[in-house]
Amino acid sequence: MLRICRVLCSRAGPSPGGWQPLSFDGGAFHLKGTGELTRALLVLRLCAWPPLVTHGLALQAWSQRLLGSRLSGALLRASIYGQFVAGETAEEVRGCVLQLQNLGLRPLLAVPTEEEPDSAVKTGEAWYEGNLSAMLRCVDLSRGLLETPDPTGTALMQLKMTALMSTRLCKQLTSWVRRPGDSLELSPERLAEAMDSGQDLRVSCLNTEQTRHLQASLSRLHRVVQHARAQHVRLLVDAEYTSLNPALSLLVAALATRWNSSGEGGPWVWNTYQAYLKDTYERLRRDAEAADRAGLAFGVKLVRGAYLDKEREMARLQETEDPTQPDYEATSQSYSRCLELMLTQVSHRGPMCHLMVASHNEDSVRQATKRMWELGIPPDGPVCFGQLLGMCDHVSLALGQAGYAVYKSIPYGSLEEVIPYLIRRAQENRSVLRGARREQELLSQELRRRLLGGRAMELRA
Ligand SMILES: Cc1cc2nc3c(=O)[nH]c(=O)nc-3n(C[C@H](O)[C@H](O)[C@H](O)COP(=O)(O)OP(=O)(O)OC[C@H]3O[C@@H](n4cnc5c(N)ncnc54)[C@H](O)[C@@H]3O)c2cc1C
């Protein structure tokens, strides 16, 4: 009862009297246990230590040799794995999600697939077919985790396209899409038709083997989306590198023509837009207008972008223009413009346009909530928020308590599957982990408060 009162009292944001900014001062930590807060503080401190992130895999191998795999596994489970991963079995994932739901947060499951193995060429389609099975299971799990038994309730799930299709083929399609005048042969409509009918597709830029792989990949994508649609699970396609993204967007556009049409109750397939790319705002504007003209529902996950260092390195090696914004401020400005554009779209198109504000940044989240209030967009409508499991709980909890729809992106799987994935994510998100200082301060503050509060009680007794 006391907890419910506290939650209601600390609600902020949309109110009939006027705009009240949300407070991200860690007040919402009272909902979490001391053990959880202590682990979060220790793990975030560890992750902010650059050598651990740089040499993560080597350190893991070294600790396995020194301590044995059982002890080193137990240590990882009690620390990094426990902080950022939901668990290994469906039961463990359910337990983690139940805890989140009790805190007002929702799950966004992500199958943690690593880059395709070098041997993918030799193993043929087997690696991608294995990933397809994992994704179909993830759809079922996402559906089963829905809080409401309402059969029309919807869940969200992340989808990494390069788990179903080779990066080599994506690069090939990207260069084809970029060639002026040549792209008609690979129009979204033609790809959608091939997906639906399963009929052979002839593409002049691909050889027989590549065409076969494209056909098999289209069939995999079709099966995932078909199953997700039947289970009422919306698929949020991840954005990756600029060498792949045009191909991924082409495939999303093909899926959208089939699954995001107005009668379907979608959008069922969303794309991700990375604000750190110089051309993102224009692309987003064009795509939003095109969806509107075609009467298609439009779903967007808006992120800053995770592959900054690699994009710059690639541009340097290929002696091409750096596609990323020159500095952090420019990325934030771009994020803010894209956010404004999408919120305006949502206010015009209502449930035909959905947005996930996928960011840990307090200013971006504040901007979104303020503009939602000004534009009359309900907190639990077509706009939602996304943060990673184990990161920025002070932001997620404050949003959840204020009645906004907040999703935690949740990887799951065995230690062996997930640790390499986590280390790579940590390497891509170094700046975020370093920037988690404020979260560390808030965690220390709350733990100090509890410790001193406990001492004061003891002294009084
Ligand atoms: C639910 C969810 C889904 C995600 N999905 C994807 C995805 O599909 N694809 C993807 O790429 N990322 C994805 N991300 C990661 C995301 O792109 C960011 O890396 C991460 O969220 C950090 O950005 P921020 O807004 O949270 O935090 P902030 O700390 O405010 O921003 C950090 C980001 O700013 C940018 N930045 C930092 N320094 C500079 C600089 N010098 N110059 C230019 N820009 C700079 C980088 O993009 C960096 O990641 C996802 C994140 C979440 C929470």
Side-chain angles (χ1 to χ4, degrees):
M1 186 63 193
L2 180 67
R3 178 173 280 194
I4 294 170
C5 285
R6 274 167 162 182
V7 167
L8 291 177
C9 292
S10 66
R11 276 181 180 231
S15 77
W19 166 250
Q20 283 177 13
L22 283 175
S23 166
F24 300 125
D25 58 3
F29 281 149
H30 68 258
L31 294 166
K32 295 205 121 194
T34 305
E36 283 175 286
L37 296 182
T38 312
R39 183 185 66 192
L41 180 61
L42 289 175
V43 170
L44 290 177
R45 285 226 165 119
L46 268 176
C47 292
W49 188 50
L52 184 87
V53 175
T54 310
H55 307 293
L57 280 177
L59 284 170
Q60 191 209 352
W62 178 80
S63 98
Q64 260 185 1
R65 271 202 305 277
L66 199 73
L67 306 172
S69 53
R70 276 183 77 179
L71 187 54
S72 104
L75 277 176
L76 281 171
R77 278 181 188 279
S79 55
I80 294 175
Y81 182 92
Q83 178 70 13
F84 297 121
V85 183
E88 183 170 349
T89 63
E91 222 30 65
E92 285 172 351
V93 176
R94 257 182 229 116
C96 167
V97 169
L98 199 65
Q99 279 183 352
L100 291 178
Q101 285 168 342
N102 286 337
L103 298 170
L105 309 176
R106 304 175 191 189
L108 173 68
L109 295 189
V111 178
T113 17
E114 266 305 280
E115 308 273 300
E116 61 195 338
D118 292 339
S119 59
V121 192
K122 292 183 205 121
T123 55
E125 301 290 335
W127 189 73
Y128 304 102
E129 287 294 322
N131 290 338
L132 168 67
S133 304
M135 282 183 185
L136 294 174
R137 285 196 300 275
C138 188
V139 169
D140 290 333
L141 191 53
S142 301
R143 172 74 209 167
L145 294 171
L146 267 186
E147 272 175 289
T148 152
D150 172 7
T152 58
T154 50
L156 307 186
M157 171 189 142
Q158 276 177 256
L159 182 126
K160 193 174 171 200
M161 281 235 189
T162 52
L164 300 177
M165 180 177 191
S166 81
T167 51
R168 218 160 311 128
L169 180 57
C170 288
K171 280 181 190 162
Q172 190 110 18
L173 293 180
T174 292
S175 45
W176 183 254
V177 169
R178 279 181 177 152
R179 275 196 345 225
D182 267 349
S183 51
L184 276 184
E185 203 182 347
L186 276 171
S187 68
E189 291 75 20
R190 196 159 171 248
L191 289 174
E193 208 181 293
M195 275 187 214
D196 251 353
S197 65
Q199 274 171 11
D200 280 357
L201 189 69
R202 299 232 167 276
V203 184
S204 55
C205 69
L206 304 179
N207 62 31
T208 316
E209 193 197 329
Q210 289 165 333
T211 307
R212 209 175 296 133
H213 180 52
L214 175 63
Q215 202 90 42
S217 306
L218 292 178
S219 154
R220 279 187 284 270
L221 280 172
H222 185 71
R223 281 172 64 194
V224 177
V225 185
Q226 195 174 36
H227 188 55
R229 171 67 188 91
Q231 297 294 325
H232 291 267
V233 176
R234 298 184 196 274
L235 295 173
L236 278 56
V237 175
D238 285 343
E240 303 185 39
Y241 298 98
T242 43
S243 55
L244 312 172
N245 287 340
L248 306 184
S249 293
L250 172 68
L251 293 166
V252 171
L255 292 166
T257 60
R258 168 70 178 80
W259 300 100
N260 291 353
S261 56
S262 58
E264 287 282 341
W268 296 103
V269 184
W270 303 25
N271 205 354
T272 297
Y273 291 79
Q274 298 156 315
Y276 69 3
L277 297 178
K278 288 175 190 154
D279 68 351
T280 291
Y281 177 81
E282 269 315 307
R283 220 159 29 82
L284 181 60
R285 193 181 56 75
R286 264 200 325 266
D287 292 354
E289 283 173 9
D292 194 9
R293 268 198 311 276
L296 295 175
F298 189 49
V300 167
K301 166 153 67 81
L302 183 61
V303 300
R304 277 184 168 70
Y307 308 105
L308 185 73
D309 294 342
K310 284 194 186 145
E311 289 288 358
R312 288 180 174 170
E313 176 66 3
M314 200 74 77
R316 198 183 58 75
L317 288 174
Q318 292 173 352
E319 296 181 357
T320 49
E321 191 196 328
D322 176 0
T324 65
Q325 298 285 356
D327 51 36
Y328 177 70
E329 284 66 34
T331 295
S332 289
Q333 263 178 31
S334 159
Y335 195 93
S336 172
R337 286 182 75 209
C338 294
L339 186 56
E340 182 61 31
L341 172 75
M342 279 309 297
L343 291 173
T344 313
Q345 283 284 322
V346 171
S347 77
H348 288 153
R349 298 195 68 204
M352 286 291 278
C353 192
H354 283 234
L355 168 68
M356 174 179 276
V357 182
S359 174
H360 307 99
N361 184 295
E362 293 179 19
D363 291 336
S364 300
V365 170
R366 263 199 211 98
Q367 180 193 347
T369 54
K370 180 164 190 279
R371 291 295 290 143
M372 283 167 72
W373 182 77
E374 287 168 353
L375 294 165
I377 299 170
D380 192 8
V383 177
C384 63
F385 294 83
Q387 281 106 34
L388 304 178
L389 182 71
M391 293 277 303
C392 282
D393 281 350
H394 62 293
V395 176
S396 313
L397 291 170
L399 279 168
Q401 285 180 60
Y404 292 94
V406 190
Y407 289 81
K408 287 296 231 184
S409 170
I410 302 181
Y412 62 96
S414 67
L415 263 180
E416 299 72 41
E417 283 166 337
V418 180
I419 291 295
Y421 166 88
L422 278 184
I423 290 173
R424 199 163 55 80
R425 281 285 111 85
Q427 286 168 353
E428 285 158 1
N429 287 293
R430 273 168 207 276
S431 67
V432 186
L433 290 167
R434 277 197 300 269
R437 284 211 190 92
R438 180 167 151 71
E439 192 177 359
Q440 291 175 39
E441 271 164 31
L442 294 173
L443 285 163
S444 310
Q445 204 175 295
E446 174 66 12
L447 286 167
R448 261 199 311 275
R449 192 190 64 74
R450 289 188 189 189
L451 199 68
L452 295 177
R455 286 246 177 87
M457 298 258 279
E458 274 171 31
L459 287 175
R460 251 182 266 139

